[in-house]
Amino acid sequence: MASVADLVSDLALEEIEPLRFRGRNEVGERGVVFGGQLLAHMAVAGARTATGKPIKSAHGLFARPVAAGQDFEIAVDVLHAGRAFASATVTLSQDGRRCARALILLTEPEPDLIRHAVPMPDVGGPEAAVPVADSVGGREVRAVGGVDIDDASAVGPAESYFWVRFPGAPDDQVIAQGLLTHASAGFLIGTAMRPHADVGQSLAHRAISTGIIGHTISFHDDLDTGEWLLLANESPAAGRGRSYGAGHVFTESGRLVASFSQEAMIRHFPDGQSPDGRETTIL
């Protein structure tokens, strides 16, 4: 089981030469690194090339699994580095094979000309939500209304609300953005399964094959991952072996700090591929 300290430590990439970094995740899921963490790595690497500019958005595509417990390399190709904006293409490779790629936009905050934001959903606060067992030790997750996206027998609308916080997270805005990137990718596949009887996230990699194909996050304001954040998730569409999900992130006071979206795979295992005796994702 990974811990908050592990996630933070993993985001401290080793710069092996200008615009090239070495990373490693000791803990993975099913022996591979979670897609949300890969995007967090690439976003942080992009931010490291534009000192002082926080991440505005990160869009990642995932082509191959990345094995946990093995080194990988991240190469940053700076497209632009100006006073207000910076952008880069970031490629993550392992064993000489390209596994994921991201586009990272960084911006210098400026005074408002206009400002508006969608309102926070009218849901209960974290004190009324139900604690959820989490794969990240030390991270706290609470489900509004006790929704269980793992339960294949539970049927409900294609939406879910989770309160999340990372106690002990460092006071570093880029690391906070990396941690939220990781968290934002974790609930949308299960949310897409909710309307469908006998389908739940507990069946993923066993009876059905799932995986994140692409994930995007945009940051609207500063955030503190040591405080409670509400992840409001919905899946407007699913079909043909794919699902689409989107969501917003709010502080406990109702301030919108980020939005995210995800393309994912939810399908039968391909002919000739059996999940018996193992857990895997077949892309």
Side-chain angles (χ1 to χ4, degrees), residues 118-171:
V118 297
M120 181 177 178
D122 185 15
V123 300
E127 69 285 345
V130 178
V132 175
D134 189 37
S135 61
V136 178
R139 184 174 71 175
E140 296 183 52
V141 179
R142 297 184 182 180
V144 172
V147 166
D148 185 356
I149 59 176
D150 287 332
D151 187 355
S153 66
V155 176
E159 60 185 37
S160 65
Y161 303 92
F162 290 92
W163 288 100
V164 178
R165 67 178 174 182
F166 294 78
D171 184 18

Side-chain angles (χ1 to χ4, degrees), residues 39 42 58-62 100-104 212-217:
L39 184 55
M42 292 187 287
H59 173 62
L61 295 174
F62 310 99
R101 180 166 285 167
L103 294 174
I104 311 299
I212 299 171
I213 301 169
H215 191 79
T216 297
I217 186 165

Side-chain angles (χ1 to χ4, degrees), residues 77-102:
D77 180 9
V78 176
L79 178 63
H80 173 71
R83 288 180 295 178
F85 298 94
S87 53
T89 301
V90 182
T91 303
L92 189 150
S93 304
Q94 189 175 63
D95 295 331
R97 286 159 42 106
R98 291 175 292 182
C99 301
R101 180 166 285 167

